[in-house]
């Protein structure tokens, strides 16, 4: 006799799926893809048989399904973004970002923005952490699971390593402004698409314009390649200072690409290279008079 699965079996199955990267629920109702399918139509005579369209879905879920549907709290039940074309999304982002004059207004503009489809699957907007008056800006890639839960960049294991790296050159979150290229988590931490990056870029450019940082630390290949318009991988770009040219600022901003702490967690031997980058960044802070400011802020 086959025993029905126990609660422990379900928990093990869930754990296995999470480890395999399936850590987002994207439908309101569970779908058993292993359930027996209806028998396939006989293949003989198919060419002559009239093609039948599948029945249209019911206008509202049947009663039983309605009662099974998890109750989604109103704050998470968002309509799907309505802007479909990439250029429409970018134009909307540019319009919204242009009207924002402060970091808080940029945050509100992002809340109103419907052009990035990642918003529909994310739990929270994740825009920045740190000091909005800092002259040092750190730009990563995209929020992960913990960032999505807390609505703050770099709070998971990679963020904790980033904090330790910053501490070695006298920095902490009171002295830097930390943000990402993307403001909503890509499901399962997949790489963002070029269209998703392009739709969020006006908000990053606006943050840079408002903050006018003196130095940029570009964490990971995606932010380095996007902001510096380069195609090489991060192992080529890291440790080499480059000028970031903002479309509306007269002066370029010195930017240093470095290895992403998530990569360093997987490849600890590369921490040596990251350390070299940090020393170079500390020298630049010194040159810009930012090292004293950081020390003074530390008391
Ligand atoms: N990785 C990033 O690039 N950004 C985060 O906020 C977290 C992890």
């Amino acid at each position: 006799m086959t025993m029905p699965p126990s609660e422990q079996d379900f928990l093990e199955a869930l754990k296995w799926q999470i480890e395999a990267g399936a850590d987002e629920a994207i439908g309101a109702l569970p779908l058993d893809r292993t359930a027996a399918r209806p028998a396939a139509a006989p293949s003989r005579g198919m060419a002559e048989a009239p093609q039948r369209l599948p029945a249209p879905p019911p206008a509202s879920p049947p009663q039983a399904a309605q009662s099974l549907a998890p109750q989604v709290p109103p704050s998470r039940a968002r309509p799907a973004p309505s802007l479909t074309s990439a250029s429409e999304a970018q134009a909307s982002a540019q319009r919204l970002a242009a009207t924002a004059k402060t970091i808080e207004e940029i945050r509100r503009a992002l809340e109103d923005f419907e052009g990035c489809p990642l918003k529909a699957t994310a739990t929270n907007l994740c825009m920045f952490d740190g000091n909005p008056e800092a002259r040092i800006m750190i730009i990563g890639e995209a929020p992960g699971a913990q960032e999505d839960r807390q609505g703050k960049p770099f709070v998971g294991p990679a963020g904790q390593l980033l904090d330790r790296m910053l501490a070695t050159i006298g920095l902490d979150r009171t002295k830097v402004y930390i943000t990402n290229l993307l403001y909503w988590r890509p499901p399962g931490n997949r790489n963002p698409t070029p269209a998703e990056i392009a739709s969020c870029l006006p908000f990053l450019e606006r943050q840079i314009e408002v903050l006018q940082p003196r130095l940029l630390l570009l964490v990971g290949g995606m932010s380095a390649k996007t902001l510096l318009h380069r195609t090489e991988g991060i192992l080529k770009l890291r440790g080499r200072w480059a000028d970031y040219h903002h479309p509306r600022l007269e002066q370029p901003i010195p930017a240093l690409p470095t290895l992403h702490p998530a990569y360093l967690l997987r490849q600890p031997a590369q921490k040596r290279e990251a350390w070299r980058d940090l020393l170079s960044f500390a020298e630049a802070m010194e040159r810009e008079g930012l090292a004293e400011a950081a020390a003074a802020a530390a008391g």
Side-chain angles (χ1 to χ4, degrees):
M1 195 179 74
T2 323
M3 295 288 284
S6 66
E7 191 181 323
Q8 190 57 31
D9 292 334
F10 282 122
L11 285 175
E12 286 300 322
L14 199 56
K15 197 164 148 235
W16 183 84
Q17 289 184 51
I18 290 170
E19 281 167 6
D23 57 356
E24 285 296 323
I26 56 171
L29 287 174
L31 184 60
D32 183 358
R33 294 184 192 280
T34 63
R37 293 177 190 283
S43 58
R44 228 167 354 121
M46 277 290 276
E48 302 90 61
Q51 293 287 307
R52 269 212 228 140
L53 292 174
S60 60
Q63 209 51 47
Q66 264 173 354
S67 62
L68 281 175
Q71 294 302 301
V72 180
S75 62
R76 291 207 53 197
R78 291 189 213 94
S82 53
L83 299 174
T84 44
S85 89
S87 56
E88 223 186 327
Q90 244 182 304
S92 160
Q94 255 146 11
R95 251 191 331 270
L96 281 167
T99 57
K101 293 185 184 59
T102 62
I103 294 298
E104 174 53 24
E105 285 180 15
I106 299 172
R107 196 188 57 73
R108 273 188 253 136
L110 268 169
E111 276 177 350
D112 290 342
F113 181 52
E114 297 299 339
C116 180
L118 298 174
K119 187 176 189 178
T121 48
T123 308
N124 283 302
L125 168 68
C126 176
M127 179 182 141
F128 83 96
D129 195 20
N131 183 347
E133 291 181 357
R135 311 312 305 275
I136 294 171
M137 190 163 175
I138 299 176
I139 304 173
E141 295 181 357
Q146 297 205 28
E147 288 76 16
D148 181 49
R149 254 177 253 132
Q150 295 186 37
K152 276 187 199 171
F154 284 105
V155 290
Q160 287 156 22
L161 177 55
L162 178 67
D163 284 342
R164 292 200 295 278
M165 290 161 66
L166 294 178
T168 61
I169 53 168
L171 294 176
D172 62 27
R173 292 185 189 226
T174 65
K175 297 161 206 149
V176 298
Y177 179 93
I178 305 181
T179 189
N180 279 315
L181 281 183
L182 274 287
Y183 304 105
W184 294 276
R185 181 194 182 204
N189 296 345
R190 66 158 169 75
N191 281 339
T193 65
E196 287 160 356
I197 296 177
S199 73
C200 289
L201 197 56
F203 296 101
L204 177 60
E205 288 174 348
R206 192 66 180 144
Q207 287 172 84
I208 296 174
E209 200 174 359
V210 167
L211 247 95
Q212 306 219 0
R214 301 259 289 278
L215 295 174
L216 297 177
L217 185 64
L218 306 180
V219 174
M222 208 171 291
S223 68
K225 287 196 257 186
T226 303
L227 294 178
L228 301 177
H229 304 287
R230 303 292 290 257
T231 53
E232 302 96 313
I234 188 64
L235 294 177
K236 283 255 165 63
L237 296 175
R238 62 141 286 275
R240 299 178 181 198
W241 284 91
D243 279 342
Y244 163 69
H245 294 273
H246 187 283
R248 291 175 297 276
L249 293 177
E250 261 175 36
Q251 295 295 321
I253 305 173
L256 183 68
T258 191
L259 300 171
H260 197 289
Y263 171 76
L264 297 175
L265 288 173
R266 296 191 303 271
Q267 303 284 338
Q270 296 280 358
K271 284 183 184 168
R272 199 176 33 189
E273 308 305 327
W275 173 235
R276 290 206 178 107
D277 300 345
L278 288 169
L279 289 179
S280 170
F281 199 79
E283 273 172 29
M285 282 165 47
E286 196 83 49
R287 262 197 318 274
E288 294 286 326
L290 295 171
E292 293 81 43

